[in-house]
PDB file of all heavy atoms in Angstrom:
ATOM      1  N   LYS O   1      70.610  -7.938 -39.448  1.00 84.00           N
ATOM      2  CA  LYS O   1      71.256  -7.125 -38.425  1.00 84.00           C
ATOM      3  C   LYS O   1      70.650  -7.321 -37.045  1.00 84.00           C
ATOM      4  O   LYS O   1      71.253  -6.948 -36.037  1.00 84.00           O
ATOM      5  CB  LYS O   1      71.171  -5.644 -38.793  1.00 84.00           C
ATOM      6  CG  LYS O   1      71.985  -5.242 -40.009  1.00 84.00           C
ATOM      7  CD  LYS O   1      71.877  -3.742 -40.245  1.00 84.00           C
ATOM      8  CE  LYS O   1      72.707  -3.319 -41.449  1.00 84.00           C
ATOM      9  NZ  LYS O   1      72.581  -1.844 -41.696  1.00 84.00           N
ATOM     10  N   ASN O   2      69.451  -7.879 -36.994  1.00 87.00           N
ATOM     11  CA  ASN O   2      68.748  -8.001 -35.720  1.00 87.00           C
ATOM     12  C   ASN O   2      69.333  -9.128 -34.867  1.00 87.00           C
ATOM     13  O   ASN O   2      69.415 -10.267 -35.306  1.00 87.00           O
ATOM     14  CB  ASN O   2      67.265  -8.264 -35.959  1.00 87.00           C
ATOM     15  CG  ASN O   2      66.488  -8.306 -34.658  1.00 87.00           C
ATOM     16  OD1 ASN O   2      66.682  -7.457 -33.786  1.00 87.00           O
ATOM     17  ND2 ASN O   2      65.637  -9.298 -34.520  1.00 87.00           N
ATOM     18  N   LEU O   3      69.724  -8.793 -33.651  1.00 91.00           N
ATOM     19  CA  LEU O   3      70.244  -9.794 -32.716  1.00 91.00           C
ATOM     20  C   LEU O   3      69.361  -9.929 -31.481  1.00 91.00           C
ATOM     21  O   LEU O   3      69.707 -10.658 -30.554  1.00 91.00           O
ATOM     22  CB  LEU O   3      71.674  -9.426 -32.294  1.00 91.00           C
ATOM     23  CG  LEU O   3      72.755  -9.568 -33.363  1.00 91.00           C
ATOM     24  CD1 LEU O   3      74.084  -9.006 -32.865  1.00 91.00           C
ATOM     25  CD2 LEU O   3      72.930 -11.020 -33.779  1.00 91.00           C
ATOM     26  N   ASN O   4      68.224  -9.254 -31.452  1.00 93.00           N
ATOM     27  CA  ASN O   4      67.331  -9.336 -30.300  1.00 93.00           C
ATOM     28  C   ASN O   4      66.976 -10.791 -29.988  1.00 93.00           C
ATOM     29  O   ASN O   4      66.452 -11.507 -30.840  1.00 93.00           O
ATOM     30  CB  ASN O   4      66.032  -8.573 -30.564  1.00 93.00           C
ATOM     31  CG  ASN O   4      66.202  -7.079 -30.464  1.00 93.00           C
ATOM     32  OD1 ASN O   4      67.317  -6.577 -30.567  1.00 93.00           O
ATOM     33  ND2 ASN O   4      65.101  -6.357 -30.285  1.00 93.00           N
ATOM     34  N   GLY O   5      67.260 -11.227 -28.773  1.00 93.00           N
ATOM     35  CA  GLY O   5      66.886 -12.561 -28.336  1.00 93.00           C
ATOM     36  C   GLY O   5      67.687 -13.693 -28.933  1.00 93.00           C
ATOM     37  O   GLY O   5      67.436 -14.863 -28.628  1.00 93.00           O
ATOM     38  N   CYS O   6      68.638 -13.376 -29.801  1.00 94.00           N
ATOM     39  CA  CYS O   6      69.412 -14.431 -30.477  1.00 94.00           C
ATOM     40  C   CYS O   6      70.457 -15.043 -29.550  1.00 94.00           C
ATOM     41  O   CYS O   6      70.900 -14.429 -28.577  1.00 94.00           O
ATOM     42  CB  CYS O   6      70.107 -13.866 -31.706  1.00 94.00           C
ATOM     43  SG  CYS O   6      68.988 -13.396 -33.025  1.00 94.00           S
ATOM     44  N   THR O   7      70.852 -16.253 -29.878  1.00 96.00           N
ATOM     45  CA  THR O   7      72.037 -16.880 -29.293  1.00 96.00           C
ATOM     46  C   THR O   7      73.094 -16.905 -30.386  1.00 96.00           C
ATOM     47  O   THR O   7      72.829 -17.376 -31.495  1.00 96.00           O
ATOM     48  CB  THR O   7      71.745 -18.310 -28.811  1.00 96.00           C
ATOM     49  OG1 THR O   7      70.680 -18.290 -27.858  1.00 96.00           O
ATOM     50  CG2 THR O   7      72.984 -18.938 -28.177  1.00 96.00           C
ATOM     51  N   GLU O   8      74.269 -16.391 -30.089  1.00 95.00           N
ATOM     52  CA  GLU O   8      75.339 -16.321 -31.090  1.00 95.00           C
ATOM     53  C   GLU O   8      76.545 -17.120 -30.610  1.00 95.00           C
ATOM     54  O   GLU O   8      77.032 -16.908 -29.496  1.00 95.00           O
ATOM     55  CB  GLU O   8      75.728 -14.876 -31.364  1.00 95.00           C
ATOM     56  CG  GLU O   8      76.671 -14.726 -32.543  1.00 95.00           C
ATOM     57  CD  GLU O   8      76.846 -13.279 -32.982  1.00 95.00           C
ATOM     58  OE1 GLU O   8      76.642 -12.372 -32.141  1.00 95.00           O
ATOM     59  OE2 GLU O   8      77.195 -13.054 -34.146  1.00 95.00           O
ATOM     60  N   PHE O   9      77.004 -18.037 -31.456  1.00 95.00           N
ATOM     61  CA  PHE O   9      78.166 -18.867 -31.173  1.00 95.00           C
ATOM     62  C   PHE O   9      79.366 -18.328 -31.939  1.00 95.00           C
ATOM     63  O   PHE O   9      79.251 -17.945 -33.103  1.00 95.00           O
ATOM     64  CB  PHE O   9      77.904 -20.320 -31.579  1.00 95.00           C
ATOM     65  CG  PHE O   9      76.816 -20.983 -30.787  1.00 95.00           C
ATOM     66  CD1 PHE O   9      75.491 -20.919 -31.217  1.00 95.00           C
ATOM     67  CD2 PHE O   9      77.099 -21.661 -29.620  1.00 95.00           C
ATOM     68  CE1 PHE O   9      74.477 -21.523 -30.496  1.00 95.00           C
ATOM     69  CE2 PHE O   9      76.102 -22.277 -28.892  1.00 95.00           C
ATOM     70  CZ  PHE O   9      74.778 -22.209 -29.322  1.00 95.00           C
ATOM     71  N   ILE O  10      80.517 -18.337 -31.290  1.00 91.00           N
ATOM     72  CA  ILE O  10      81.744 -17.807 -31.878  1.00 91.00           C
ATOM     73  C   ILE O  10      82.659 -18.984 -32.197  1.00 91.00           C
ATOM     74  O   ILE O  10      83.203 -19.623 -31.292  1.00 91.00           O
ATOM     75  CB  ILE O  10      82.440 -16.825 -30.917  1.00 91.00           C
ATOM     76  CG1 ILE O  10      81.470 -15.697 -30.534  1.00 91.00           C
ATOM     77  CG2 ILE O  10      83.716 -16.260 -31.529  1.00 91.00           C
ATOM     78  CD1 ILE O  10      81.886 -14.916 -29.315  1.00 91.00           C
ATOM     79  N   ASP O  11      82.786 -19.295 -33.472  1.00 78.00           N
ATOM     80  CA  ASP O  11      83.571 -20.447 -33.908  1.00 78.00           C
ATOM     81  C   ASP O  11      85.021 -20.013 -34.118  1.00 78.00           C
ATOM     82  O   ASP O  11      85.380 -19.456 -35.150  1.00 78.00           O
ATOM     83  CB  ASP O  11      82.983 -21.017 -35.199  1.00 78.00           C
ATOM     84  CG  ASP O  11      83.640 -22.322 -35.610  1.00 78.00           C
ATOM     85  OD1 ASP O  11      84.694 -22.655 -35.031  1.00 78.00           O
ATOM     86  OD2 ASP O  11      83.099 -22.999 -36.493  1.00 78.00           O
ATOM     87  N   ASN O  12      85.859 -20.276 -33.123  1.00 72.00           N
ATOM     88  CA  ASN O  12      87.253 -19.832 -33.179  1.00 72.00           C
ATOM     89  C   ASN O  12      88.078 -20.550 -34.236  1.00 72.00           C
ATOM     90  O   ASN O  12      89.093 -20.025 -34.698  1.00 72.00           O
ATOM     91  CB  ASN O  12      87.913 -20.014 -31.818  1.00 72.00           C
ATOM     92  CG  ASN O  12      87.384 -19.033 -30.794  1.00 72.00           C
ATOM     93  OD1 ASN O  12      87.064 -17.902 -31.117  1.00 72.00           O
ATOM     94  ND2 ASN O  12      87.260 -19.470 -29.551  1.00 72.00           N
ATOM     95  N   PHE O  13      87.662 -21.768 -34.619  1.00 68.00           N
ATOM     96  CA  PHE O  13      88.442 -22.520 -35.600  1.00 68.00           C
ATOM     97  C   PHE O  13      88.249 -21.987 -37.008  1.00 68.00           C
ATOM     98  O   PHE O  13      89.167 -21.991 -37.817  1.00 68.00           O
ATOM     99  CB  PHE O  13      88.071 -23.999 -35.547  1.00 68.00           C
ATOM    100  CG  PHE O  13      88.525 -24.682 -34.296  1.00 68.00           C
ATOM    101  CD1 PHE O  13      87.612 -25.150 -33.359  1.00 68.00           C
ATOM    102  CD2 PHE O  13      89.874 -24.841 -34.030  1.00 68.00           C
ATOM    103  CE1 PHE O  13      88.038 -25.765 -32.195  1.00 68.00           C
ATOM    104  CE2 PHE O  13      90.307 -25.467 -32.867  1.00 68.00           C
ATOM    105  CZ  PHE O  13      89.378 -25.933 -31.951  1.00 68.00           C
ATOM    106  N   PHE O  14      87.029 -21.540 -37.299  1.00 61.00           N
ATOM    107  CA  PHE O  14      86.741 -21.078 -38.653  1.00 61.00           C
ATOM    108  C   PHE O  14      86.538 -19.563 -38.713  1.00 61.00           C
ATOM    109  O   PHE O  14      86.155 -19.024 -39.740  1.00 61.00           O
ATOM    110  CB  PHE O  14      85.494 -21.794 -39.197  1.00 61.00           C
ATOM    111  CG  PHE O  14      85.703 -23.270 -39.363  1.00 61.00           C
ATOM    112  CD1 PHE O  14      85.215 -24.168 -38.419  1.00 61.00           C
ATOM    113  CD2 PHE O  14      86.418 -23.779 -40.436  1.00 61.00           C
ATOM    114  CE1 PHE O  14      85.416 -25.532 -38.558  1.00 61.00           C
ATOM    115  CE2 PHE O  14      86.614 -25.141 -40.580  1.00 61.00           C
ATOM    116  CZ  PHE O  14      86.118 -26.015 -39.642  1.00 61.00           C
ATOM    117  N   TYR O  15      86.796 -18.898 -37.595  1.00 61.00           N
ATOM    118  CA  TYR O  15      86.735 -17.437 -37.537  1.00 61.00           C
ATOM    119  C   TYR O  15      85.407 -16.902 -38.065  1.00 61.00           C
ATOM    120  O   TYR O  15      85.366 -15.975 -38.875  1.00 61.00           O
ATOM    121  CB  TYR O  15      87.905 -16.820 -38.312  1.00 61.00           C
ATOM    122  CG  TYR O  15      89.240 -17.322 -37.832  1.00 61.00           C
ATOM    123  CD1 TYR O  15      89.944 -18.274 -38.563  1.00 61.00           C
ATOM    124  CD2 TYR O  15      89.795 -16.867 -36.637  1.00 61.00           C
ATOM    125  CE1 TYR O  15      91.165 -18.765 -38.110  1.00 61.00           C
ATOM    126  CE2 TYR O  15      91.011 -17.349 -36.177  1.00 61.00           C
ATOM    127  CZ  TYR O  15      91.691 -18.293 -36.919  1.00 61.00           C
ATOM    128  OH  TYR O  15      92.884 -18.782 -36.471  1.00 61.00           O
ATOM    129  N   SER O  16      84.335 -17.493 -37.609  1.00 74.00           N
ATOM    130  CA  SER O  16      83.011 -17.043 -38.018  1.00 74.00           C
ATOM    131  C   SER O  16      82.044 -17.184 -36.853  1.00 74.00           C
ATOM    132  O   SER O  16      82.272 -17.977 -35.936  1.00 74.00           O
ATOM    133  CB  SER O  16      82.501 -17.852 -39.211  1.00 74.00           C
ATOM    134  OG  SER O  16      82.344 -19.210 -38.848  1.00 74.00           O
ATOM    135  N   ASN O  17      80.977 -16.405 -36.890  1.00 88.00           N
ATOM    136  CA  ASN O  17      79.944 -16.479 -35.871  1.00 88.00           C
ATOM    137  C   ASN O  17      78.705 -17.159 -36.442  1.00 88.00           C
ATOM    138  O   ASN O  17      78.372 -16.986 -37.617  1.00 88.00           O
ATOM    139  CB  ASN O  17      79.588 -15.083 -35.364  1.00 88.00           C
ATOM    140  CG  ASN O  17      80.709 -14.468 -34.553  1.00 88.00           C
ATOM    141  OD1 ASN O  17      81.776 -15.052 -34.402  1.00 88.00           O
ATOM    142  ND2 ASN O  17      80.464 -13.286 -34.025  1.00 88.00           N
ATOM    143  N   ILE O  18      78.019 -17.915 -35.605  1.00 91.00           N
ATOM    144  CA  ILE O  18      76.808 -18.613 -36.014  1.00 91.00           C
ATOM    145  C   ILE O  18      75.659 -18.064 -35.175  1.00 91.00           C
ATOM    146  O   ILE O  18      75.635 -18.232 -33.955  1.00 91.00           O
ATOM    147  CB  ILE O  18      76.952 -20.133 -35.809  1.00 91.00           C
ATOM    148  CG1 ILE O  18      78.101 -20.661 -36.670  1.00 91.00           C
ATOM    149  CG2 ILE O  18      75.648 -20.849 -36.148  1.00 91.00           C
ATOM    150  CD1 ILE O  18      78.567 -22.041 -36.289  1.00 91.00           C
ATOM    151  N   LYS O  19      74.726 -17.388 -35.836  1.00 92.00           N
ATOM    152  CA  LYS O  19      73.600 -16.772 -35.140  1.00 92.00           C
ATOM    153  C   LYS O  19      72.398 -17.698 -35.178  1.00 92.00           C
ATOM    154  O   LYS O  19      71.972 -18.130 -36.241  1.00 92.00           O
ATOM    155  CB  LYS O  19      73.242 -15.430 -35.790  1.00 92.00           C
ATOM    156  CG  LYS O  19      72.105 -14.702 -35.093  1.00 92.00           C
ATOM    157  CD  LYS O  19      71.775 -13.385 -35.777  1.00 92.00           C
ATOM    158  CE  LYS O  19      70.999 -13.597 -37.046  1.00 92.00           C
ATOM    159  NZ  LYS O  19      70.502 -12.333 -37.630  1.00 92.00           N
ATOM    160  N   VAL O  20      71.852 -18.006 -34.001  1.00 92.00           N
ATOM    161  CA  VAL O  20      70.616 -18.767 -33.909  1.00 92.00           C
ATOM    162  C   VAL O  20      69.498 -17.771 -33.616  1.00 92.00           C
ATOM    163  O   VAL O  20      69.471 -17.139 -32.555  1.00 92.00           O
ATOM    164  CB  VAL O  20      70.685 -19.834 -32.800  1.00 92.00           C
ATOM    165  CG1 VAL O  20      69.348 -20.558 -32.669  1.00 92.00           C
ATOM    166  CG2 VAL O  20      71.805 -20.830 -33.078  1.00 92.00           C
ATOM    167  N   ALA O  21      68.592 -17.594 -34.570  1.00 91.00           N
ATOM    168  CA  ALA O  21      67.482 -16.659 -34.411  1.00 91.00           C
ATOM    169  C   ALA O  21      66.404 -17.312 -33.548  1.00 91.00           C
ATOM    170  O   ALA O  21      65.547 -18.046 -34.035  1.00 91.00           O
ATOM    171  CB  ALA O  21      66.925 -16.263 -35.772  1.00 91.00           C
ATOM    172  N   VAL O  22      66.481 -17.066 -32.269  1.00 94.00           N
ATOM    173  CA  VAL O  22      65.587 -17.712 -31.301  1.00 94.00           C
ATOM    174  C   VAL O  22      64.246 -16.976 -31.266  1.00 94.00           C
ATOM    175  O   VAL O  22      64.190 -15.770 -31.029  1.00 94.00           O
ATOM    176  CB  VAL O  22      66.226 -17.712 -29.899  1.00 94.00           C
ATOM    177  CG1 VAL O  22      65.261 -18.287 -28.870  1.00 94.00           C
ATOM    178  CG2 VAL O  22      67.537 -18.491 -29.916  1.00 94.00           C
ATOM    179  N   ASP O  23      63.150 -17.715 -31.508  1.00 95.00           N
ATOM    180  CA  ASP O  23      61.814 -17.162 -31.330  1.00 95.00           C
ATOM    181  C   ASP O  23      60.851 -18.313 -31.058  1.00 95.00           C
ATOM    182  O   ASP O  23      61.289 -19.426 -30.747  1.00 95.00           O
ATOM    183  CB  ASP O  23      61.401 -16.299 -32.514  1.00 95.00           C
ATOM    184  CG  ASP O  23      61.130 -17.089 -33.795  1.00 95.00           C
ATOM    185  OD1 ASP O  23      61.356 -18.321 -33.810  1.00 95.00           O
ATOM    186  OD2 ASP O  23      60.688 -16.466 -34.777  1.00 95.00           O
ATOM    187  N   LYS O  24      59.541 -18.049 -31.163  1.00 96.00           N
ATOM    188  CA  LYS O  24      58.553 -19.079 -30.833  1.00 96.00           C
ATOM    189  C   LYS O  24      58.766 -20.374 -31.618  1.00 96.00           C
ATOM    190  O   LYS O  24      58.515 -21.469 -31.111  1.00 96.00           O
ATOM    191  CB  LYS O  24      57.140 -18.551 -31.092  1.00 96.00           C
ATOM    192  CG  LYS O  24      56.656 -17.511 -30.095  1.00 96.00           C
ATOM    193  CD  LYS O  24      55.223 -17.098 -30.394  1.00 96.00           C
ATOM    194  CE  LYS O  24      54.736 -16.009 -29.443  1.00 96.00           C
ATOM    195  NZ  LYS O  24      54.655 -16.480 -28.055  1.00 96.00           N
ATOM    196  N   SER O  25      59.241 -20.247 -32.851  1.00 95.00           N
ATOM    197  CA  SER O  25      59.438 -21.440 -33.690  1.00 95.00           C
ATOM    198  C   SER O  25      60.578 -22.326 -33.186  1.00 95.00           C
ATOM    199  O   SER O  25      60.709 -23.468 -33.621  1.00 95.00           O
ATOM    200  CB  SER O  25      59.713 -21.026 -35.139  1.00 95.00           C
ATOM    201  OG  SER O  25      60.958 -20.350 -35.253  1.00 95.00           O
ATOM    202  N   THR O  26      61.392 -21.801 -32.262  1.00 95.00           N
ATOM    203  CA  THR O  26      62.532 -22.557 -31.727  1.00 95.00           C
ATOM    204  C   THR O  26      62.121 -23.437 -30.547  1.00 95.00           C
ATOM    205  O   THR O  26      62.892 -24.301 -30.129  1.00 95.00           O
ATOM    206  CB  THR O  26      63.646 -21.586 -31.286  1.00 95.00           C
ATOM    207  OG1 THR O  26      63.751 -20.522 -32.211  1.00 95.00           O
ATOM    208  CG2 THR O  26      65.000 -22.287 -31.223  1.00 95.00           C
ATOM    209  N   GLU O  27      60.930 -23.212 -30.000  1.00 97.00           N
ATOM    210  CA  GLU O  27      60.479 -23.997 -28.857  1.00 97.00           C
ATOM    211  C   GLU O  27      60.488 -25.490 -29.177  1.00 97.00           C
ATOM    212  O   GLU O  27      60.063 -25.905 -30.255  1.00 97.00           O
ATOM    213  CB  GLU O  27      59.072 -23.570 -28.441  1.00 97.00           C
ATOM    214  CG  GLU O  27      59.001 -22.176 -27.861  1.00 97.00           C
ATOM    215  CD  GLU O  27      57.602 -21.754 -27.480  1.00 97.00           C
ATOM    216  OE1 GLU O  27      56.644 -22.527 -27.745  1.00 97.00           O
ATOM    217  OE2 GLU O  27      57.444 -20.652 -26.923  1.00 97.00           O
ATOM    218  N   GLY O  28      60.998 -26.283 -28.255  1.00 96.00           N
ATOM    219  CA  GLY O  28      61.072 -27.726 -28.460  1.00 96.00           C
ATOM    220  C   GLY O  28      62.309 -28.184 -29.192  1.00 96.00           C
ATOM    221  O   GLY O  28      62.446 -29.374 -29.491  1.00 96.00           O
ATOM    222  N   SER O  29      63.220 -27.246 -29.477  1.00 96.00           N
ATOM    223  CA  SER O  29      64.484 -27.601 -30.135  1.00 96.00           C
ATOM    224  C   SER O  29      65.619 -27.616 -29.118  1.00 96.00           C
ATOM    225  O   SER O  29      65.605 -26.874 -28.139  1.00 96.00           O
ATOM    226  CB  SER O  29      64.818 -26.602 -31.248  1.00 96.00           C
ATOM    227  OG  SER O  29      63.886 -26.682 -32.298  1.00 96.00           O
ATOM    228  N   CYS O  30      66.589 -28.459 -29.393  1.00 97.00           N
ATOM    229  CA  CYS O  30      67.787 -28.561 -28.554  1.00 97.00           C
ATOM    230  C   CYS O  30      68.997 -28.286 -29.430  1.00 97.00           C
ATOM    231  O   CYS O  30      69.108 -28.827 -30.537  1.00 97.00           O
ATOM    232  CB  CYS O  30      67.877 -29.956 -27.944  1.00 97.00           C
ATOM    233  SG  CYS O  30      69.391 -30.275 -27.005  1.00 97.00           S
ATOM    234  N   PHE O  31      69.892 -27.440 -28.945  1.00 97.00           N
ATOM    235  CA  PHE O  31      71.138 -27.168 -29.655  1.00 97.00           C
ATOM    236  C   PHE O  31      72.289 -27.766 -28.851  1.00 97.00           C
ATOM    237  O   PHE O  31      72.455 -27.473 -27.668  1.00 97.00           O
ATOM    238  CB  PHE O  31      71.326 -25.663 -29.858  1.00 97.00           C
ATOM    239  CG  PHE O  31      70.447 -25.111 -30.933  1.00 97.00           C
ATOM    240  CD1 PHE O  31      69.108 -24.827 -30.678  1.00 97.00           C
ATOM    241  CD2 PHE O  31      70.928 -24.917 -32.220  1.00 97.00           C
ATOM    242  CE1 PHE O  31      68.281 -24.339 -31.675  1.00 97.00           C
ATOM    243  CE2 PHE O  31      70.109 -24.429 -33.223  1.00 97.00           C
ATOM    244  CZ  PHE O  31      68.781 -24.141 -32.954  1.00 97.00           C
ATOM    245  N   LEU O  32      73.042 -28.627 -29.512  1.00 97.00           N
ATOM    246  CA  LEU O  32      74.172 -29.338 -28.916  1.00 97.00           C
ATOM    247  C   LEU O  32      75.457 -28.787 -29.511  1.00 97.00           C
ATOM    248  O   LEU O  32      75.554 -28.613 -30.726  1.00 97.00           O
ATOM    249  CB  LEU O  32      74.046 -30.831 -29.211  1.00 97.00           C
ATOM    250  CG  LEU O  32      75.144 -31.764 -28.708  1.00 97.00           C
ATOM    251  CD1 LEU O  32      75.109 -31.885 -27.186  1.00 97.00           C
ATOM    252  CD2 LEU O  32      74.983 -33.151 -29.351  1.00 97.00           C
ATOM    253  N   PHE O  33      76.460 -28.533 -28.657  1.00 95.00           N
ATOM    254  CA  PHE O  33      77.690 -27.916 -29.161  1.00 95.00           C
ATOM    255  C   PHE O  33      78.864 -28.275 -28.262  1.00 95.00           C
ATOM    256  O   PHE O  33      78.681 -28.605 -27.077  1.00 95.00           O
ATOM    257  CB  PHE O  33      77.526 -26.388 -29.242  1.00 95.00           C
ATOM    258  CG  PHE O  33      77.088 -25.742 -27.953  1.00 95.00           C
ATOM    259  CD1 PHE O  33      77.998 -25.202 -27.073  1.00 95.00           C
ATOM    260  CD2 PHE O  33      75.737 -25.662 -27.641  1.00 95.00           C
ATOM    261  CE1 PHE O  33      77.596 -24.603 -25.888  1.00 95.00           C
ATOM    262  CE2 PHE O  33      75.310 -25.063 -26.460  1.00 95.00           C
ATOM    263  CZ  PHE O  33      76.246 -24.532 -25.586  1.00 95.00           C
ATOM    264  N   PRO O  34      80.096 -28.216 -28.810  1.00 93.00           N
ATOM    265  CA  PRO O  34      81.274 -28.440 -27.969  1.00 93.00           C
ATOM    266  C   PRO O  34      81.321 -27.400 -26.848  1.00 93.00           C
ATOM    267  O   PRO O  34      81.080 -26.206 -27.089  1.00 93.00           O
ATOM    268  CB  PRO O  34      82.441 -28.264 -28.946  1.00 93.00           C
ATOM    269  CG  PRO O  34      81.858 -28.545 -30.296  1.00 93.00           C
ATOM    270  CD  PRO O  34      80.463 -28.021 -30.236  1.00 93.00           C
ATOM    271  N   ALA O  35      81.614 -27.849 -25.652  1.00 94.00           N
ATOM    272  CA  ALA O  35      81.503 -26.979 -24.478  1.00 94.00           C
ATOM    273  C   ALA O  35      82.458 -25.791 -24.521  1.00 94.00           C
ATOM    274  O   ALA O  35      82.226 -24.785 -23.841  1.00 94.00           O
ATOM    275  CB  ALA O  35      81.748 -27.805 -23.213  1.00 94.00           C
ATOM    276  N   TRP O  36      83.521 -25.902 -25.314  1.00 92.00           N
ATOM    277  CA  TRP O  36      84.514 -24.829 -25.349  1.00 92.00           C
ATOM    278  C   TRP O  36      84.158 -23.720 -26.351  1.00 92.00           C
ATOM    279  O   TRP O  36      84.895 -22.743 -26.471  1.00 92.00           O
ATOM    280  CB  TRP O  36      85.887 -25.391 -25.702  1.00 92.00           C
ATOM    281  CG  TRP O  36      85.915 -26.142 -26.999  1.00 92.00           C
ATOM    282  CD1 TRP O  36      86.012 -25.635 -28.263  1.00 92.00           C
ATOM    283  CD2 TRP O  36      85.813 -27.564 -27.159  1.00 92.00           C
ATOM    284  NE1 TRP O  36      85.987 -26.631 -29.194  1.00 92.00           N
ATOM    285  CE2 TRP O  36      85.868 -27.830 -28.554  1.00 92.00           C
ATOM    286  CE3 TRP O  36      85.698 -28.631 -26.266  1.00 92.00           C
ATOM    287  CZ2 TRP O  36      85.799 -29.116 -29.059  1.00 92.00           C
ATOM    288  CZ3 TRP O  36      85.619 -29.912 -26.770  1.00 92.00           C
ATOM    289  CH2 TRP O  36      85.679 -30.151 -28.153  1.00 92.00           C
ATOM    290  N   VAL O  37      83.046 -23.856 -27.074  1.00 93.00           N
ATOM    291  CA  VAL O  37      82.665 -22.833 -28.044  1.00 93.00           C
ATOM    292  C   VAL O  37      82.058 -21.632 -27.311  1.00 93.00           C
ATOM    293  O   VAL O  37      81.020 -21.760 -26.652  1.00 93.00           O
ATOM    294  CB  VAL O  37      81.652 -23.384 -29.065  1.00 93.00           C
ATOM    295  CG1 VAL O  37      81.174 -22.273 -29.995  1.00 93.00           C
ATOM    296  CG2 VAL O  37      82.273 -24.518 -29.875  1.00 93.00           C
ATOM    297  N   PRO O  38      82.671 -20.450 -27.408  1.00 95.00           N
ATOM    298  CA  PRO O  38      82.110 -19.271 -26.738  1.00 95.00           C
ATOM    299  C   PRO O  38      80.756 -18.896 -27.355  1.00 95.00           C
ATOM    300  O   PRO O  38      80.550 -19.037 -28.561  1.00 95.00           O
ATOM    301  CB  PRO O  38      83.152 -18.170 -26.999  1.00 95.00           C
ATOM    302  CG  PRO O  38      84.404 -18.900 -27.411  1.00 95.00           C
ATOM    303  CD  PRO O  38      83.940 -20.144 -28.097  1.00 95.00           C
ATOM    304  N   HIS O  39      79.857 -18.427 -26.523  1.00 96.00           N
ATOM    305  CA  HIS O  39      78.550 -17.998 -27.020  1.00 96.00           C
ATOM    306  C   HIS O  39      77.974 -16.921 -26.120  1.00 96.00           C
ATOM    307  O   HIS O  39      78.386 -16.754 -24.974  1.00 96.00           O
ATOM    308  CB  HIS O  39      77.589 -19.186 -27.150  1.00 96.00           C
ATOM    309  CG  HIS O  39      77.451 -20.011 -25.909  1.00 96.00           C
ATOM    310  ND1 HIS O  39      78.449 -20.860 -25.470  1.00 96.00           N
ATOM    311  CD2 HIS O  39      76.443 -20.115 -25.002  1.00 96.00           C
ATOM    312  CE1 HIS O  39      78.060 -21.456 -24.349  1.00 96.00           C
ATOM    313  NE2 HIS O  39      76.850 -21.013 -24.037  1.00 96.00           N
ATOM    314  N   VAL O  40      77.023 -16.187 -26.677  1.00 97.00           N
ATOM    315  CA  VAL O  40      76.392 -15.071 -25.979  1.00 97.00           C
ATOM    316  C   VAL O  40      74.892 -15.139 -26.247  1.00 97.00           C
ATOM    317  O   VAL O  40      74.465 -15.542 -27.330  1.00 97.00           O
ATOM    318  CB  VAL O  40      76.994 -13.725 -26.445  1.00 97.00           C
ATOM    319  CG1 VAL O  40      76.861 -13.553 -27.943  1.00 97.00           C
ATOM    320  CG2 VAL O  40      76.341 -12.547 -25.735  1.00 97.00           C
TER     321      VAL O  40
END
């Protein structure tokens, strides 16, 4: 349920959300995505 600090992508094609749990372990990672994918 925790969304603190997360990046959430909204996949309109598959009607699902993809939550990236961003924290210290994410440092040095790159997330690549289609530019039209809504995210927060």
Side-chain angles (χ1 to χ4, degrees):
K1 292 183 179 179
N2 184 45
L3 290 173
N4 284 20
C6 292
T7 302
E8 189 169 25
F9 295 90
I10 304 163
D11 187 348
N12 289 325
F13 290 113
F14 295 101
Y15 304 103
S16 63
N17 291 3
I18 299 165
K19 182 181 76 172
V20 177
V22 176
D23 70 355
K24 288 183 182 295
S25 67
T26 321
E27 292 179 356
S29 294
C30 175
F31 285 80
L32 178 70
F33 54 95
W36 57 82
V37 175
H39 53 287
V40 57

